[in-house]
Amino acid sequence: MFKFSNKLQSPLNKPWSIHSSSSLIKFIHTTTNPESNNNNTTQIVNSITNSLKNNSNWDTLTSKFNSTQLNTTIIKQVLLSLKQPNYAKQALRFFHWSANCKGFQHGACTYALTIHILIRASLLTDAKALLESVLKKTHVNNSPKFLVVDCLIDSFKVTDSNPLVFNLLVQYYAKLRFFNVGFDVCCYLEDHHGFCLSLITYNSLIHVVQKSDLYDLVWKIYERLIIRRVYPNEVTIRTMIGALCKGGKLREVMDLIDVIHGKRCSASVIVNTNLVLRIVEEGRVEEGMALLKRMLQKNMILDTIAYSLIVYSKVKLNDLDSAWTVYEEMLKRGFNANSFVHTSFIGAFCGKGKIDEAIRLMQEMEDMNLKAYDETFDFLIIGCANAGRVEESLNYCRKMMTCQIIPSCLAFNEMVGKLTEFDNLKLADAMLTDLLNMGFVPEETTYSRLIAGYSNAGKCEEAIKLYHEMEYRSLNPGSLVFSSLIKGLCQCGKLAEAQKYLKIMKDRALEPYEDVHEAFVTTG
């Protein structure tokens, strides 16, 4: 145990008289006085700043301040003392000297101060180098995504900086391929802090994102650009056309514009039409219409296309009366009816089970020499099938094929699923053969429904033929096809055949559905 004596030991093992304790207490209070610390910090800052203003080099600084301990407060105050453009190079020298010669680990805040000072002095090359460095550093350290931008915002006013810094920030996120963070920072700056980024910045982000095949993100950025009224230029449109090509959508959009307008349009109209369609088809109908209105004000889209898209949007909102009013206004203003608008109404009427209205519009299209396209026929095939009007569904499918148009898998499958008469099944089977020769790519559901239809009609031989046709065409039957075939054979009382196909199914490591076992039990 330690024993107290009437002597205190100094750090140098020299005895202190207990009577001099007041001196010790005075010493302690003096060394921990905040005012004294502040004075000391100010002296260090002033001394370093004066040396830098006198153009001291690294060696001089190191020799003069070898024993000086640097901290974040000192670093910030020195940098702020050098924030005027004529001292920007000295600020950069101090930034690098403190890191390289004094081992100071710069954080995002001291990076931000230095970057602001350099940009204000138009030393862009140096500022860009520091931006790239801090973004890489924070990325590796998995720092919060808004750390750098928040530090730049916090020190923006105190350095009398320029908004260019935020454009460069987003551009360097793009350059380093930190796309999602870059876009989030872009939205954060504009929505929460009122900064407006330039078209050059948006183009940089769009260009790099498009090159990286991030299809959805590139359209989000383009949409953002229009919303912020930073309107595209030729470079933007060229990049977005490239995005349409990569996404396999260019031909589709051009064909749609041909249907609406009757002739080719400028690249910007193609891009803007696709943007509105995307937004509406995502279910953001009101947003799409608001964007469309803005495009019309800036002549970024043609009136006839705008009217057609408004009708389409109203139909999507299930507001058919309003959609029809817009359509009538479109006609009164001298714009021609088009297949796209009619198809929108036909789809809506088929969805509501109003088949007669849909058929009337189809007849109206024919009377006006408007050309029906794949979606027009698909709506009618599905609508008629679901309404139990299978003969008409088959007729529209036949008519579609006569026009050298291939139905969607969904439309053909829906039609086949509603067929019960053997003659109709044979007709659909023959149609499938012709469609395959036209390039139709069937799903497993397509064969499964035809097999089930034949089985229900008691024509198991035809069902087996379809199975072998799949094998011949190298379309490997899956669990759905096997299940339909086995259940059909059970219904026809052909249990031995059913067992044969069950064995094949299991040999191929395909798991039978529960109703397959039930079919054997029921029949047995």
Side-chain angles (χ1 to χ4, degrees):
M1 181 178 290
F2 290 106
K3 293 183 179 180
F4 289 99
S5 68
N6 66 340
K7 299 281 181 95
L8 289 174
Q9 297 294 315
S10 80
L12 298 177
N13 295 322
K14 293 181 180 179
W16 290 73
S17 167
I18 194 70
H19 299 291
S20 65
S21 61
S22 59
S23 300
L24 178 61
I25 293 167
K26 183 178 178 181
F27 171 77
I28 292 170
H29 280 291
T30 302
T31 56
T32 58
N33 189 336
E35 186 177 340
S36 176
N37 283 340
N38 289 338
N39 290 337
N40 190 41
T41 298
T42 302
Q43 288 174 4
I44 294 170
V45 169
N46 290 339
S47 182
I48 294 173
T49 302
N50 290 332
S51 294
L52 287 162
K53 286 181 178 180
N54 290 326
N55 282 321
S56 295
N57 59 25
W58 280 20
D59 291 337
T60 304
L61 290 170
T62 303
S63 172
K64 196 170 182 180
F65 302 104
N66 185 49
S67 61
T68 303
Q69 292 297 314
L70 298 182
N71 56 39
T72 303
T73 301
I74 292 172
I75 297 287
K76 285 182 177 180
Q77 288 187 23
V78 170
L79 289 171
L80 287 172
S81 298
L82 300 167
K83 73 176 183 179
Q84 296 304 321
N86 54 318
Y87 293 126
K89 289 184 178 179
Q90 286 88 335
L92 180 62
R93 186 184 307 155
F94 172 67
F95 179 89
H96 288 306
W97 171 77
S98 59
N100 287 277
C101 297
K102 299 294 290 181
F104 183 80
Q105 295 293 318
H106 286 287
C109 289
T110 50
Y111 264 99
L113 279 170
T114 312
I115 290 165
H116 279 309
I117 292 166
L118 294 171
I119 285 176
R120 188 182 174 206
S122 299
L123 299 175
L124 299 186
T125 302
D126 295 312
K128 289 174 182 178
L130 288 191
L131 264 176
E132 185 170 349
S133 173
V134 72
L135 291 183
K136 285 180 178 177
K137 187 175 179 181
T138 52
H139 179 73
V140 169
N141 294 337
N142 201 24
S143 303
K145 69 179 174 182
F146 293 137
L147 174 63
V148 176
V149 69
D150 278 337
C151 287
L152 286 168
I153 289 167
D154 289 343
S155 52
F156 180 75
K157 287 185 179 179
V158 74
T159 52
D160 301 320
S161 190
N162 188 314
L164 173 63
V165 68
F166 299 114
N167 285 289
L168 290 177
L169 173 66
V170 175
Q171 288 170 30
Y172 266 80
Y173 273 120
K175 180 185 176 183
L176 296 171
R177 299 184 177 272
F178 304 154
F179 312 118
N180 289 299
V181 178
F183 183 54
D184 288 344
V185 166
C186 173
C187 298
Y188 179 70
L189 281 165
E190 293 181 330
D191 293 343
H192 298 280
H193 296 282
F195 290 102
C196 296
L197 299 182
S198 69
L199 178 59
I200 292 173
T201 297
Y202 273 103
N203 280 348
S204 299
L205 199 52
I206 287 171
H207 174 75
V208 181
V209 171
Q210 191 262 108
K211 287 276 187 185
S212 302
D213 298 332
L214 297 173
Y215 190 71
D216 290 335
L217 181 58
V218 79
W219 285 100
K220 280 183 184 177
I221 298 168
Y222 184 72
E223 178 186 345
R224 176 83 189 178
L225 180 148
I226 304 294
I227 289 170
R228 297 295 303 180
R229 292 182 168 84
V230 184
Y231 295 107
N233 61 9
E234 187 179 338
V235 174
T236 323
I237 298 301
R238 188 165 58 244
T239 308
M240 295 311 298
I241 288 291
L244 278 172
C245 290
K246 283 192 171 184
K249 297 282 288 183
L250 182 60
R251 171 57 57 187
E252 182 183 327
V253 179
M254 289 175 68
D255 288 346
L256 179 60
I257 290 174
D258 283 345
V259 166
I260 296 173
H261 187 57
K263 52 189 175 183
R264 293 293 165 90
C265 298
S266 67
S268 62
V269 171
I270 293 170
V271 169
N272 294 330
T273 300
N274 183 69
L275 175 62
V276 175
L277 277 171
R278 276 179 62 87
I279 294 170
V280 172
E281 286 169 0
E282 286 173 3
R284 299 185 292 128
V285 181
E286 297 289 356
E287 293 173 55
M289 291 179 70
L291 206 62
L292 186 58
K293 182 179 178 182
R294 188 167 296 170
M295 288 178 178
L296 271 172
Q297 291 169 345
K298 288 289 182 178
N299 295 317
M300 297 171 69
I301 200 162
L302 299 176
D303 287 352
T304 180
I305 295 174
Y307 267 116
S308 300
L309 290 175
I310 291 169
V311 171
Y312 178 67
S313 300
K314 297 280 188 184
V315 168
K316 283 284 186 181
L317 287 171
N318 205 25
D319 189 355
L320 296 187
D321 291 338
S322 179
W324 197 261
T325 301
V326 173
Y327 172 59
E328 288 177 337
E329 183 185 335
M330 170 181 160
L331 297 179
K332 285 176 185 175
R333 290 203 171 195
F335 298 108
N336 295 325
N338 62 69
S339 301
F340 176 71
V341 168
H342 271 70
T343 297
S344 299
F345 283 119
I346 286 170
F349 286 133
C350 286
K352 289 177 174 290
K354 297 180 178 181
I355 306 304
D356 290 332
E357 288 291 316
I359 291 173
R360 180 186 64 76
L361 280 175
M362 181 64 165
Q363 185 59 51
E364 191 177 288
M365 284 180 70
E366 292 176 357
D367 294 343
M368 291 190 292
N369 292 319
L370 296 176
K371 190 177 179 181
Y373 53 99
D374 52 359
E375 201 169 2
T376 321
F377 284 111
D378 282 346
F379 282 138
L380 287 162
I381 291 168
I382 295 170
C384 290
N386 288 336
R389 298 164 70 160
V390 291
E391 296 286 347
E392 288 165 292
S393 184
L394 281 164
N395 286 338
Y396 280 118
C397 190
R398 190 187 297 110
K399 194 171 187 178
M400 188 178 191
M401 292 169 66
T402 303
C403 297
Q404 294 299 304
I405 304 173
I406 298 174
S408 67
C409 259
L410 175 63
F412 191 79
N413 293 348
E414 286 295 317
M415 180 187 72
V416 170
K418 299 294 190 252
L419 300 178
T420 55
E421 298 293 327
F422 176 64
D423 290 341
N424 286 338
L425 285 163
K426 286 294 288 180
L427 181 59
D429 195 351
M431 282 182 178
L432 177 59
T433 302
D434 291 338
L435 283 170
L436 289 168
N437 293 330
M438 290 172 66
F440 179 72
V441 181
E443 298 173 340
E444 189 179 5
T445 304
T446 310
Y447 280 99
S448 172
R449 289 190 175 181
L450 270 174
I451 288 169
Y454 277 132
S455 300
N456 291 332
K459 302 292 182 179
C460 288
E461 295 82 4
E462 299 296 331
I464 292 171
K465 280 182 187 177
L466 276 175
Y467 167 81
H468 288 299
E469 180 183 316
M470 285 188 76
E471 297 273 81
Y472 173 75
R473 293 182 180 273
S474 300
L475 301 169
N476 294 326
S479 297
L480 191 59
V481 167
F482 274 108
S483 296
S484 296
L485 180 59
I486 293 166
K487 286 188 292 183
L489 290 168
C490 287
Q491 286 174 5
C492 296
K494 298 188 176 184
L495 294 180
E497 284 282 298
Q499 288 286 0
K500 170 188 164 184
Y501 286 104
L502 180 62
K503 183 177 184 306
I504 294 172
M505 186 181 186
K506 289 181 176 178
D507 288 345
R508 295 183 184 181
L510 295 172
E511 192 67 32
Y513 297 145
E514 285 185 20
D515 53 359
V516 169
H517 297 295
E518 290 172 7
F520 279 107
V521 172
T522 304
T523 308

